[in-house]
Amino acid sequence: MKEFQLQGINHLALVCQDMTRTIDFYCNTLGLQLIKTIQLPDGGQHFFFDIGNGDALAFFWFPQAPERAPGIASVNPAAMQTGDIRTAHGSMNHVAFKVSAEKLNEYREQLAAKGVQTTPVLHHADVPSGYVPEADETTFLSSFYFFDPDGILLEFAATVRELGDPERDLNFSL
């Protein structure tokens, strides 16, 4: 028996600059439901969106929060176009939402129709470059990336094959 019986992620908490803009994007662009808001003692807010399976994506809005630092604590949008998604140690790199492979292209088109810029669909694969142009037997995930209004990198990701095979999926050295 495992020491901790984890059941998934309850919520991931991020920080936004503008609560109204964030709610508009996640409700009206991504179609999520706002399920909880909490007034903070300093005048800020903590609020939660339902992302399915009993999981939530949460945000804090702090009236006196420091400005964001793209390329340090979040992905630099300009560098993202060249595939550079590096961020600083201890930062959050991106949030990946699980979607079905059959809906991936449709969802990308829907976001484009709403004015959201996305990457092409990428097929993450067990090859030296990390990607293949079309999904094949080496592909484990197909996805595309886009930013929310605060520059948080989001991903719609479709599992192509389950992970966990030690010979195929665990390739690292310490």
Side-chain angles (χ1 to χ4, degrees):
M1 188 163 121
K2 294 181 182 177
E3 182 179 2
F4 298 103
Q5 299 294 310
L6 302 181
Q7 300 173 359
I9 293 176
N10 179 281
H11 71 276
L12 176 64
L14 307 172
V15 178
C16 70
Q17 182 180 22
D18 181 317
M19 182 176 169
T20 302
R21 181 181 69 185
T22 299
I23 290 171
D24 178 64
F25 179 81
Y26 284 90
C27 288
N28 297 324
T29 301
L30 297 187
L32 301 181
Q33 180 182 359
L34 183 65
I35 57 173
K36 176 73 174 164
T37 60
I38 302 166
Q39 181 73 36
L40 301 176
D42 67 353
Q45 292 277 334
H46 190 27
F47 50 105
F48 297 74
F49 298 97
D50 179 358
I51 58 172
N53 300 318
D55 303 329
L57 182 63
F59 284 87
F60 284 100
W61 173 73
F62 301 116
Q64 304 300 322
E67 292 296 316
R68 68 186 181 106
I72 299 170
S74 62
V75 174
N76 181 338
M80 173 71 186
Q81 300 308 313
T82 64
D84 184 357
I85 61 167
R86 291 176 294 166
T87 53
H89 298 152
S91 67
M92 187 208 67
N93 189 272
H94 67 278
V95 176
F97 296 104
K98 184 177 182 177
V99 300
S100 78
E102 296 78 26
K103 294 286 192 178
L104 201 59
N105 286 315
E106 178 184 331
Y107 291 170
R108 185 171 174 267
E109 291 169 11
Q110 285 179 274
L111 287 173
K114 294 180 180 197
V116 177
Q117 283 191 305
T118 72
T119 67
V121 172
L122 304 171
H123 304 286
H124 306 260
D126 294 322
V127 296
S129 67
Y131 302 100
V132 291
E134 296 295 326
D136 64 17
E137 69 282 351
T138 66
T139 305
F140 56 90
L141 186 80
S142 293
S143 72
F144 66 88
Y145 298 87
F146 56 100
F147 289 97
D148 86 345
D150 283 299
I152 295 169
L153 185 60
L154 304 175
E155 177 183 21
F156 278 1
T159 301
V160 174
R161 70 169 159 76
E162 293 302 317
L163 302 179
D165 180 329
E167 291 184 27
R168 180 183 61 209
D169 296 323
L170 301 177
N171 182 16
F172 68 97
S173 59
L174 298 175

